[in-house]
Amino acid sequence: MSTFGKLFRVTTYGESHCKSVGCIVDGVPPGMSLTEEDLQPQLTRRRPGQSKLSTPRDEKDRVEIQSGTEFGKTLGTPIAMIVKNEDHRPHDYSEMDKYPRPSHADFTYSEKYGIKASSGGGRASARETIGRVAAGGIAEKFLKQVSDVEIVAFVTQIGNVKMNRDPFDPNFQHILNTITRAKVDAMGFIRCPDASVAGDMVKEIEHYRGQQDSIGGVVTCVVRNLPTGLGEPCFDKLEALLAHAMLSIPASKGFEIGSGFVGVSVPGSKHNDMFYYDEESKRLRTKTNNSGGIQGGISNGENIYFSVPFKSVATISQEQHTCTYDGNDGTLAAKGRHDPAVTPRAIPIVEAMTALVLADALLIQKSRDYARSITH
C-alpha cells in the first residue's frame, strides 16, 4: 500500500516520470507553524544532480503546500504537498520496455499488476521518496517542538571502505552523541563525518562509475532526546516499526540496531546495560547503550541508533546478458541517468522515515497518557 502510519498518516503518490510526485499527510496537530521553507532543506539534500557522483538528472524538487495550512499555521486538516517533475525523459527508457531490468522491480511489478510503468522504475523509483521526505519534514518539526528530538544520519560505508561503527568503541559512541547535520554536510556529497576515510569513499564511487557500474553502502542514524515509553509491546515494537520503515526505502537490504550482529559474540554479563540514577536529568539511565535506546520494544530515553545497508544500484550502463519478457535471450545496456551509488542521497530519506515512525509513536503514547489521566 502507499499509506504509512496510524495517527500520523502519510500517503505518497507518483511515478518516476509522471508530471508530479507528492503526498497527503493526515493527523498533523493544528496550530503548528509550517511553510515550504521548513520542508525545502531536506528535499534539497535529497534531490538529484548535486554532484558528479550522482545522477545528472536536474530536478530542483521545489515543494508546494496545497492544503492544510493558512497564514503559515497548520489547520489540523490533511496537508497535501506536490513536487513537479521538471526534467523527466520517458523516452530514455523506450529500448528497455521489452527487457525486465536485472534486480529491478520491472518483472515483479508486471507480475503483480499485469501492467507496469513504461519509463523509469515507476513506484519503485527513488522519486517516490520525495513525498516521504516532505512529510518527514513536518514530522521532524513536530518532534523538535514537543521534545527537542534530533535525528542525524550519515554514511559509514561505501563498498569496502568503512568508518568505525563499533558499538562498543567509546569513540563511535562519542560520534553518536555529537554528530550534527551541519558536520555531515560539511563533508560534501559523500556525507561521511570521518575525514580519514571520506576521500577513499569518493574514490570508491568514482572507480565504479568509471566502469559504468555501481556500488552500495551503509547509512547509520542516531536519534537523541526521544522521550521514554514510545513503542508498543509485541508486534509494534519501536525497533520493528523502524525496521519496517527502513526496509520500505528503495534499495535497502537490512536493518541493524544497537550492538546488532556484533552483539551476538558478547556474553550477557558484558552486554547488559546497567542502570544508574542520573542526578542531572533526575531519571534512570544506562551506563552503556548496547540496546540502542530500546528495551522490550519501548524507548528508554537513551540514544536510538541503527544502520541500514543499501545495495548497489540495479540499473547500470554496462551491457548485461539477460532475456526479454517473452523469454528470448538478449543484451541490455540501460540508458537514462542513474546514480553510481545511492547511499549518500539516502541520508534525508532515512531521517524522514525515522521522523514519521517517531511522530506516530509519540502521538499514540500521548493518547495513552491522556487516557490514563482521565481514568484516575
Side-chain angles (χ1 to χ4, degrees), residues 107-184:
F107 172 71
T108 52
Y109 268 48
S110 179
E111 289 292 295
K112 182 174 183 62
Y113 297 109
I115 190 172
K116 69 176 185 68
S118 61
S119 60
R123 291 286 285 167
S125 168
R127 289 298 290 170
E128 178 271 335
T129 63
I130 287 175
R132 303 177 187 223
V133 174
I138 300 175
E140 278 199 61
K141 185 154 191 181
F142 169 66
L143 291 165
K144 188 73 174 178
Q145 182 173 315
V146 172
S147 192
D148 198 29
V149 174
E150 297 176 337
I151 303 170
V152 184
F154 51 100
V155 173
T156 50
Q157 184 172 343
I158 295 291
N160 290 316
V161 181
K162 61 184 74 174
M163 64 170 278
N164 170 33
R165 64 171 188 270
D166 181 352
F168 303 104
D169 189 330
N171 292 326
F172 178 64
Q173 292 298 326
H174 175 73
I175 290 174
L176 295 178
N177 284 322
T178 59
I179 192 67
T180 64
R181 287 186 186 173
K183 292 179 181 178
V184 172

Side-chain angles (χ1 to χ4, degrees), residues 148-152 154 172-179 221-228 238 242 257-259 273 283 285-286 288-295 298-306 358:
D148 198 29
V149 174
E150 297 176 337
I151 303 170
V152 184
F154 51 100
F172 178 64
Q173 292 298 326
H174 175 73
I175 290 174
L176 295 178
N177 284 322
T178 59
I179 192 67
C221 184
V222 61
V223 180
R224 297 189 289 259
N225 302 329
L226 191 70
T228 59
L238 193 56
L242 287 168
I257 188 165
S259 63
D273 296 318
R283 66 175 180 88
R285 295 197 59 184
T286 59
T288 54
N289 189 20
N290 301 322
S291 301
I294 301 174
Q295 294 172 325
I298 299 169
S299 61
N300 66 4
E302 302 299 328
N303 291 344
I304 292 176
Y305 65 97
F306 56 86
L358 300 181

Side-chain angles (χ1 to χ4, degrees), residues 230-244:
L230 273 58
E232 305 297 316
C234 300
F235 304 110
D236 284 342
K237 293 179 177 179
L238 193 56
E239 68 263 51
L241 297 175
L242 287 168
H244 175 191

Side-chain angles (χ1 to χ4, degrees), residues 319-374:
E319 288 192 348
Q320 300 177 87
H321 297 290
T322 181
C323 72
T324 61
Y325 281 98
D326 54 12
N328 295 316
D329 290 342
T331 301
L332 173 64
K335 295 181 180 179
R337 298 154 295 171
H338 307 284
D339 294 89
V342 297
T343 311
R345 285 183 60 210
I347 296 297
I349 305 170
V350 168
E351 292 169 342
M353 291 306 298
T354 302
L356 293 177
V357 169
L358 300 181
D360 198 34
L362 182 59
L363 286 173
I364 291 171
Q365 185 59 28
K366 290 294 184 182
S367 299
R368 178 177 284 104
D369 292 343
Y370 179 72
R372 184 172 60 185
S373 71
I374 62 177

